[in-house]
Amino acid sequence: MYEGEVAAGERYRVGYALQPKKVETFIQPSLLHHAKQHAIDLVQIDPSTPLHQQVPFHCIIHKLHTQHWNKHLKEFSSQHPNTIIIDPPELINRLHNRVSMLDAVTHLQISLQNATVSVPLQVVVDQPESFHFDKIEELGLVFPMIAKPLAADGTSDSHQLCLVLNREGLNSFTVPTVLQEFVNHGGVVFKIYVAGQHVICVKRKSLNDITEEKLRTLKGALPFSQVSNMSVGDKDGCCGVFENAEMPPQSLVEELARGLREALGLNLFNVDLIRDGQDRGRYLVIDINYFPGYAKLPSYEPFITNFLLDLLRTKIA
Ligand SMILES: Nc1ncnc2c1ncn2[C@@H]1O[C@H](COP(=O)(O)OP(=O)(O)OP(=O)(O)O)[C@@H](O)[C@H]1O
Ligand SMILES: O=P(O)(O)O[C@H]1[C@H](O)[C@@H](O)[C@H](OP(=O)(O)O)[C@@H](OP(=O)(O)O)[C@H]1O
Ligand SMILES: [Mg+2]
Ligand SMILES: [Mg+2]
């Protein structure tokens, strides 16, 4: 029997390497319990101790951003090729940049049931002095726009966004930043959570539409962060709009999840999708996050456990 193999009646050991805050939210007793009942022991990894001293692992899941961890994991993986690494750090890196993350969508060209999936128009501003307003005008970008730090690396700074309402607002963000077309979408964002072949789409509160009238009265830039973490009760939109918002077609959700999983080579991520308020067949991906907050999903325990079981049974058969 080779290292990593499991005989009938044996158990799987899945190591997790996560920041303390993520351990607190993701590794709930209910998840540990559900996994245990399905022959999976979730074991905390100490990233400061050599991995080979913490073996055996059938699989390792992780979300740590340091180069040191990535190197550590790579070395371990080359010496223990039977341990499944979810997911390879070099592939996760693609989601740490707001341009490369959306590139994967651009190449997909999804069109289903009279609907299309694309990405908002965007431009990178990397040097304040090299930034010319003409450049964004040439691209067809108009106000309002949304400025997002180019890096999406899990730091709180990377979630500091701002609405840019007119030319004045172009001085309000730090570079490098992505300036993105703001698309009115009825204040609802669809979050598609992917764990391998398992996919769930939920709706969350989003930024409200910016009407022509608001655009006439508001000026400069409005900073904001972590909108979709607000509870539904916090929304200032009108009653019932959120509850009544129609979900995207299931076939579109599944096709997008499958396509992105293949294009990115990743198993654990979520996709923020909005529907253009002016064109109900136009969907746009605005964000992709690695190892998102699965615990916010109803029944996340079987969702994650089933994903791990599929993986372990297929790869260790
Ligand atoms: N192009 C856009 N048009 C309209 N609204 C947008 C656009 N991009 C982002 N938003 C709004 O801003 C919110 C935050 O944007 P985004 O998801 O890119 O940031 P984030 O900090 O990466 O979020 P997360 O916490 O999901 O990682 C979205 O949930 C949505 O409400
Ligand atoms: O801070 P970074 O590393 O970027 O990761 C966040 C993601 O960007 C968010 O999308 C997660 O929230 P959602 O699961 O609501 O998307 C959010 O979920 P969490 O706060 O519940 O862990 C994080 O995973
Ligand atoms: Mg988002
Ligand atoms: Mg994000």
Side-chain angles (χ1 to χ4, degrees):
M1 197 181 289
Y2 63 84
E3 189 194 340
E5 195 173 355
V6 170
E10 276 193 60
R11 304 186 60 82
Y12 299 108
R13 246 175 80 94
V14 174
Y16 60 86
L18 302 168
Q19 288 177 349
K21 188 180 152 269
K22 193 77 176 174
V23 172
E24 217 175 280
T25 54
F26 180 71
I27 307 290
Q28 299 280 336
S30 58
L31 176 65
L32 292 174
H33 179 73
H34 191 88
K36 203 172 263 307
Q37 283 190 317
H38 292 81
I40 295 175
D41 295 316
L42 285 162
V43 184
Q44 182 157 19
I45 289 174
D46 172 4
S48 62
T49 300
L51 277 168
H52 64 82
Q53 290 176 16
Q54 303 176 62
V55 290
F57 297 116
H58 296 101
C59 172
I60 290 177
I61 57 175
H62 65 109
K63 183 175 181 177
L64 292 177
H65 296 289
T66 65
Q67 288 307 316
H68 175 259
W69 165 253
N70 290 353
K71 189 166 166 273
H72 192 165
L73 191 60
K74 198 172 172 186
E75 282 164 10
F76 175 81
S77 181
S78 65
Q79 284 149 17
H80 299 78
N82 293 322
T83 297
I84 309 162
I85 307 294
I86 298 296
D87 285 295
E90 61 278 13
L91 299 183
I92 297 173
N93 278 342
R94 186 167 180 181
L95 298 188
H96 291 163
N97 173 299
R98 292 189 194 269
V99 171
S100 54
M101 78 162 65
L102 296 190
D103 273 352
V105 183
T106 317
H107 295 121
L108 279 184
Q109 297 197 325
I110 289 181
S111 183
L112 275 176
Q113 294 189 2
N114 306 322
T116 59
V117 181
S118 57
V119 299
L121 214 52
Q122 66 177 19
V123 62
V124 176
V125 180
D126 45 17
Q127 305 273 330
E129 61 276 18
S130 76
F131 179 58
H132 297 295
F133 179 63
D134 303 348
K135 189 173 155 199
I136 61 169
E137 267 196 326
E138 261 169 44
L139 283 165
L141 266 174
V142 292
F143 296 109
M145 292 167 206
I146 188 157
K148 307 183 181 186
L150 178 62
D153 54 7
T155 56
S156 72
D157 280 356
S158 72
H159 293 294
Q160 301 302 319
L161 277 49
C162 81
L163 276 175
V164 181
L165 299 153
N166 64 1
R167 233 169 138 146
E168 248 168 67
L170 290 170
N171 304 315
S172 309
F173 47 81
T174 49
V175 293
T177 269
V178 167
L179 265 183
Q180 195 175 86
E181 165 194 12
F182 180 90
V183 180
N184 277 337
H185 55 281
V188 180
V189 59
F190 304 104
K191 287 206 164 242
I192 304 173
Y193 287 81
V194 179
Q197 292 170 11
H198 302 262
V199 180
I200 300 181
C201 180
V202 295
K203 54 183 164 181
R204 294 264 186 80
K205 175 68 192 118
S206 187
L207 287 184
N208 286 317
D209 289 353
I210 303 178
T211 58
E212 291 284 333
E213 193 197 337
K214 266 193 211 162
L215 202 54
R216 271 195 300 274
T217 49
L218 296 170
K219 291 199 175 4
L222 290 175
F224 70 95
S225 76
Q226 304 259 283
V227 183
S228 67
N229 270 346
M230 287 183 344
S231 73
V232 172
D234 295 339
K235 69 184 189 293
D236 64 356
C238 189
C239 17
V241 172
F242 178 85
E243 289 75 9
N244 295 333
E246 193 189 322
M247 296 296 282
Q250 187 58 19
S251 52
L252 185 100
V253 168
E254 282 171 14
E255 182 60 13
L256 179 60
R258 193 194 54 74
L260 279 178
R261 192 160 68 90
E262 277 175 17
L264 297 167
L266 297 173
N267 287 279
L268 298 177
F269 60 93
N270 76 358
V271 183
D272 290 354
L273 187 71
I274 57 173
R275 181 169 50 220
D276 186 342
Q278 299 291 311
D279 175 356
R280 295 183 58 76
R282 181 180 182 228
Y283 287 88
L284 300 112
V285 173
I286 53 169
D287 186 26
I288 308 177
N289 302 295
Y290 190 68
F291 207 143
Y294 291 105
K296 294 169 196 160
L297 292 173
S299 306
Y300 91 106
E301 300 87 348
F303 187 76
I304 296 296
T305 304
N306 291 338
F307 156 66
L308 291 172
L309 281 176
D310 280 359
L311 188 81
L312 293 159
R313 285 178 181 151
T314 330
K315 299 252 171 95
I316 310 176

